[in-house]
Amino acid sequence: MTILVTGGAGFIGSNFVMDWLAQHDETLINLDNLTYAGNLNNLVCLADNPKHIFVKGDIGDGALVQKLIAQHQPRAIIHFAAESHVDRSIHGPEAFIQTNIVGTFRLLESAKTYWQSLLPSKQQAFRFLHVSTDEVYGSLTAEAPAFAETHRYEPNSPYSASKAASDHLVRAYHHTYGLPVLTTNCSNNYGPYQFPEKLIPLIIHNALAHKALPVYGDGLQIRDWLYVGDHCSAIRVVLDRGTCGEVYNIGGLNEKANIEIVHTLCDILDELRPVSGGKKIKSYRELITYVKDRPGHDRRYAIDASKIESELNWRPAETFESGIRKTVKWYLENAGWVDDVISGEYRQWIERQYA
């Protein structure tokens, strides 16, 4: 038994790969192009695991994907690979079109060709699970009900528009060709191994370096926060018990304003790594700096996860309080990982974005 995971060296993908191999005795093929956010150091604990086969490559390389599928005959494809940062999509949208739309299309083509070649019993068992985002639904007002799976698509950034297009392609391949697909739309993930351009690791890193903690606009943009370990468990459940052709929203049941996240991180760092004597500040909160809001910034996301709970009996195990404390401790204990990740290219990006 074999599964193929795309983007398995990224933040969510690498957490899923480690989580899966800790619980399953089957080979996992990990296809990742190792762009700026893909990091094999995320998977160093699997270096001697014969069940983990890493392949560097692009999901848009149809010949490579077809070769891997023919060689390993996977029972499932779990598709994480994506360009995923809104700010980067504003500055350079073409990469998002190529990876998220064209790449997903080519992956679907390879999966369809393979699936159509299988015996009926194996066709019925095969699954293509597409991992997407709540950002495809657009923005909510403060009093609006949370995003359900039936909410219409209203993407507001090049990133979310590219993910919306990939969602539609996955749906079309099910309804047109019968490909047994599953789609998950998750809320904001946080946890170990997240690239330090995203809010939580960026704030932790900057605080420890006594740099400004940038907060967009008034900081009152609201997101639902999902611990990455809970996301991994939800994907396992959807893959195992989800109904083909269905969409499942995955949320952490934790709506928080960005400024509240920053305050919480500062308070935990004040407790676990207090500012030493002789510094100009006494609390990390003093480093908070409001910056110009980004274009088209969505005001609120919220996930209605009642479908996955009622149909598949899944709920997040972590509260925000337990998950965020685990996350801060991980970054404090893995400063070497952060130092290795922060390249010259990353520093230039941060300077350009938050100047």
Side-chain angles (χ1 to χ4, degrees):
M1 301 291 285
T2 303
I3 66 168
L4 171 63
V5 173
T6 71
F11 163 47
I12 303 175
S14 62
N15 275 278
F16 177 82
V17 167
M18 289 183 285
D19 178 78
W20 181 273
L21 289 173
Q23 303 186 50
H24 294 80
D25 186 27
E26 62 181 314
T27 299
L28 185 150
I29 313 301
N30 184 352
L31 176 64
D32 195 295
N33 206 24
L34 296 181
T35 56
Y36 74 95
N39 186 353
L40 282 179
N41 286 338
N42 297 2
L43 302 165
V44 67
C45 65
L46 301 176
D48 298 321
N49 189 331
K51 297 293 185 181
H52 178 239
I53 300 174
F54 178 79
V55 179
K56 183 183 182 303
D58 190 339
I59 58 171
D61 185 344
L64 172 62
V65 174
Q66 290 171 24
K67 178 182 176 181
L68 286 175
I69 290 175
Q71 179 181 354
H72 296 285
Q73 299 281 300
R75 70 175 180 89
I77 296 174
I78 299 93
H79 179 33
F80 291 98
E83 296 284 346
S84 64
H85 194 252
V86 172
D87 293 340
R88 284 182 180 265
S89 81
I90 294 170
H91 290 287
E94 185 170 352
F96 290 73
I97 305 304
Q98 289 299 320
T99 298
N100 298 353
I101 302 177
V102 178
T104 298
F105 159 69
R106 290 181 177 159
L107 186 65
L108 284 164
E109 278 287 286
S110 297
K112 176 185 66 122
T113 300
Y114 166 66
W115 173 74
Q116 289 175 337
S117 73
L118 295 174
L119 295 173
S121 60
K122 290 189 175 182
Q123 282 189 340
Q124 292 178 5
F126 180 79
R127 296 291 183 271
F128 183 104
L129 194 155
H130 173 61
V131 180
S132 191
T133 172
D134 60 356
E135 296 192 36
V136 299
Y137 298 124
S139 183
L140 292 169
T141 60
E143 58 282 342
F147 297 131
E149 290 80 358
T150 54
H151 195 285
R152 71 180 184 180
Y153 276 34
E154 297 179 304
N156 291 321
S157 70
Y159 161 60
S160 57
S162 68
K163 288 299 289 184
S166 69
D167 290 6
H168 292 321
L169 282 171
V170 171
R171 174 185 169 87
Y173 269 67
H174 174 68
H175 285 275
T176 302
Y177 304 110
L179 187 68
V181 306
L182 300 154
T183 296
T184 59
N185 293 88
C186 70
S187 57
N188 279 33
N189 277 221
Y190 68 97
Y193 300 104
Q194 189 169 28
F195 193 77
E197 68 184 356
K198 298 297 179 77
L199 177 65
I200 288 174
L202 173 65
I203 294 301
I204 295 171
H205 173 73
N206 278 17
L208 294 176
H210 290 194
K211 295 180 179 179
L213 308 183
V215 175
Y216 279 132
D218 59 9
L220 298 180
Q221 305 87 358
I222 293 173
R223 302 293 183 262
D224 174 36
W225 293 90
L226 173 67
Y227 187 67
V228 67
D230 282 329
H231 189 189
C232 293
S233 73
I235 291 172
R236 292 199 318 269
V237 168
V238 172
L239 183 64
D240 185 44
R241 302 199 298 270
T243 300
C244 289
E246 289 295 314
V247 176
Y248 296 92
N249 283 352
I250 303 172
L253 310 180
N254 292 300
E255 285 190 55
K256 305 284 184 183
N258 286 347
I259 190 61
E260 183 180 354
I261 300 296
V262 176
H263 285 161
T264 298
L265 291 169
C266 290
D267 294 346
I268 296 174
L269 288 170
D270 281 340
E271 173 193 344
L272 300 180
R273 190 67 60 84
V275 178
S276 57
K279 301 295 183 181
K280 294 182 179 180
I281 61 169
K282 295 181 179 180
S283 168
Y284 293 107
R285 286 197 183 205
E286 297 175 47
L287 296 171
I288 295 172
T289 303
Y290 291 91
V291 299
K292 182 180 179 181
D293 210 351
R294 72 183 179 204
H297 201 171
D298 290 335
R299 195 63 176 171
R300 172 176 170 246
Y301 304 145
I303 282 285
D304 177 353
S306 58
K307 178 177 178 179
I308 192 173
E309 180 178 2
S310 62
E311 294 187 11
L312 305 183
N313 195 31
W314 178 88
R315 281 182 62 86
E318 299 289 345
T319 63
F320 181 76
E321 290 69 26
S322 65
I324 197 65
R325 184 166 286 269
K326 284 183 178 180
T327 301
V328 173
K329 286 183 176 179
W330 187 89
Y331 280 98
L332 291 177
E333 294 166 0
N334 292 273
W337 179 89
V338 177
D339 291 340
D340 288 342
V341 166
I342 298 175
S343 66
E345 187 260 352
Y346 169 71
R347 286 195 295 271
Q348 293 167 15
W349 160 252
I350 291 297
E351 290 168 4
R352 183 171 69 251
Q353 185 59 27
Y354 294 112

